[in-house]
């Protein structure tokens, strides 16, 4: 499966979702407890609105551009600790993740039926978009070991494997050891995995490690099991200097970096956490910068994160 996916990514550029959580909160007006996007799956009217106003336009954009689509199933926080924070028993993790995959598949099937666009001409990958055990911006558990992380994430990833998702993309990761644990848990569940940390305005991870050190550590401790690496939940201006420096010295790790999901705003994580209004940034400028990064670094995955929507994605393609 991993070899086939790598071949697919080598042949075609894939678009991703935009910033679904911020879209739900700021543009759809849906309350997300603990920023858990899977909550929308339990409100039929709000889910149908998200599909019609947000997901279907993204599918249209990707298909008309000749790209493929990596479709998140919205399970970034559908794991034990956050399920408990919502007052639910941990044994509901499997049910929540199964429902997420079923609804995503149904949304794609409905769109295919109306658009008449086949899977052969337009591939859509169903992506289990998991995330860190703690906060995606701050490191609250820096002493977690890879074994502990593997044990924690195993239940969610096994439940997702049972649904037949195409791959896992671990988004907004903050430490190498938790990322190693997720990679190992995905391997034990038979799931290909992409690892995507976030970076601060200085291009470093929230634990202050460099992107290069992060990639090299995870590869070394997992026998290079991730398909490749991305960065998400950061602005282009936060990442570009790091990539330029790596390119200048021909850093080996750069060949493992193949995707970027950009925030609309150039604000820091702390500023975004404290924002009460949506910052959609400069849509055209962001698209231009993404194009430059894609061409210079041969990215095979581009898309949006916080503050972006289908308009940002349309500009990118």
């Amino acid at each position: 499966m991993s070899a086939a996916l790598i071949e697919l990514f080598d042949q075609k550029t894939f678009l991703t979702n935009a910033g679904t959580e911020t879209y739900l909160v700021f543009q759809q007006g849906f309350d997300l407890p603990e920023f858990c996007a899977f909550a929308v799956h339990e409100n039929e009217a709000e889910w149908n609105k998200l599909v019609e106003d947000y997901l279907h336009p993204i599918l249209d954009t990707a298909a008309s551009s000749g790209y493929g689509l990596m479709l998140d199933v919205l399970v970034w926080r559908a794991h034990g600790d956050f399920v408990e924070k919502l007052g639910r028993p941990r044994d509901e993790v499997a049910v929540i993740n199964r429902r997420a995959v079923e609804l995503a598949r149904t949304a794609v099937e409905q769109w295919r039926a109306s658009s008449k666009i086949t899977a052969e001409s337009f591939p859509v990958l169903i992506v289990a978009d998991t995330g860190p055990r703690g906060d995606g911006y701050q490191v609250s558990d820096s002493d977690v070991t890879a074994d502990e992380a593997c044990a924690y994430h195993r239940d969610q990833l096994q439940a997702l494997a049972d649904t037949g998702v195409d791959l896992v993309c671990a988004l907004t990761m903050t430490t190498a050891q938790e990322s190693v644990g997720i990679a190992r848990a995905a391997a034990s569940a038979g799931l290909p995995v992409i690892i995507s940390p976030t970076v601060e305005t200085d291009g470093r991870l929230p634990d202050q490690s460099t992107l290069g050190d992060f990639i090299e550590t995870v590869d070394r401790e997992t026998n290079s099991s991730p398909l490749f690496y991305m960065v998400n939940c950061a602005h282009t201006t936060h990442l570009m200097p790091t990539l330029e420096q790596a390119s200048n010295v021909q850093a080996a790790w750069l060949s493992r970096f193949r995707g970027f999901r950009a925030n609309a705003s150039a604000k820091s994580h702390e500023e975004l956490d404290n924002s009460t209004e949506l910052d959609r940034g400069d849509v055209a400028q962001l698209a231009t910068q993404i194009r430059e990064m894609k061409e210079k670094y041969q990215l095979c995955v581009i898309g949006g994160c916080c503050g972006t929507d289908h308009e940002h994605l349309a500009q990118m393609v």
Side-chain angles (χ1 to χ4, degrees), residues 20-21 35 48 51 54 61-62 64 72 85-86 93 101 138 187 192 195 200 215-216 218 221 227 246 281 288 296 313:
T20 310
E21 287 84 359
F35 223 49
N48 289 339
V51 170
Y54 171 82
T61 294
S64 63
D72 300 338
K85 285 181 180 180
L86 298 188
V93 166
V101 176
Q138 301 176 18
I195 301 293
E200 302 288 351
I215 291 174
E216 289 170 351
V218 177
E221 298 193 21
L227 295 175
T288 297
K296 184 171 183 179
L313 299 183

Side-chain angles (χ1 to χ4, degrees), residues 140-157:
S140 57
D141 49 0
S142 58
D143 59 344
V144 68
T145 68
D147 286 344
E148 290 168 340
C150 181
Y152 173 78
H153 289 284
R154 185 179 291 121
D155 288 347
Q156 182 193 22
L157 296 187

Side-chain angles (χ1 to χ4, degrees), residues 125-147:
L125 299 175
I126 303 298
V127 179
D129 51 323
T130 191
R133 182 173 187 173
D135 193 289
Y137 285 171
Q138 301 176 18
V139 183
S140 57
D141 49 0
S142 58
D143 59 344
V144 68
T145 68
D147 286 344

Side-chain angles (χ1 to χ4, degrees), residues 190-266:
L191 286 171
V193 64
I194 297 167
I195 301 293
S196 179
T198 189
V199 296
E200 302 288 351
T201 56
D202 61 0
R204 290 176 175 265
L205 273 70
D207 69 353
Q208 283 303 294
S209 60
T210 67
L211 180 59
D213 285 346
F214 173 88
I215 291 174
E216 289 170 351
T217 298
V218 177
D219 265 356
R220 182 174 62 251
E221 298 193 21
T222 64
N223 196 27
S224 300
S225 68
L227 295 175
F228 51 82
Y229 295 85
M230 296 169 40
V231 163
N232 75 289
C233 216
H235 194 258
T236 48
T237 56
H238 304 165
L239 180 62
M240 289 169 75
T242 296
L243 299 182
E244 289 170 3
Q245 291 166 12
S247 179
N248 288 340
V249 299
Q250 298 183 329
W253 65 262
L254 194 56
S255 67
R256 296 282 284 144
F257 178 80
R258 302 198 64 192
F260 184 46
R261 296 181 62 166
N263 280 354
S265 173

Side-chain angles (χ1 to χ4, degrees), residues 135 137-138 268-276:
D135 193 289
Y137 285 171
Q138 301 176 18
S268 68
H269 289 154
E270 182 178 4
E271 289 173 317
L272 289 175
D273 255 352
N274 294 319
S275 295
T276 57

Side-chain angles (χ1 to χ4, degrees), residues 1 73 101 105 126-128 160-168 191-192:
M1 184 187 295
V73 301
V101 176
R105 279 210 179 98
I126 303 298
V127 179
L160 288 161
D162 292 342
T163 69
V165 293
D166 293 305
L167 73 154
V168 173
L191 286 171

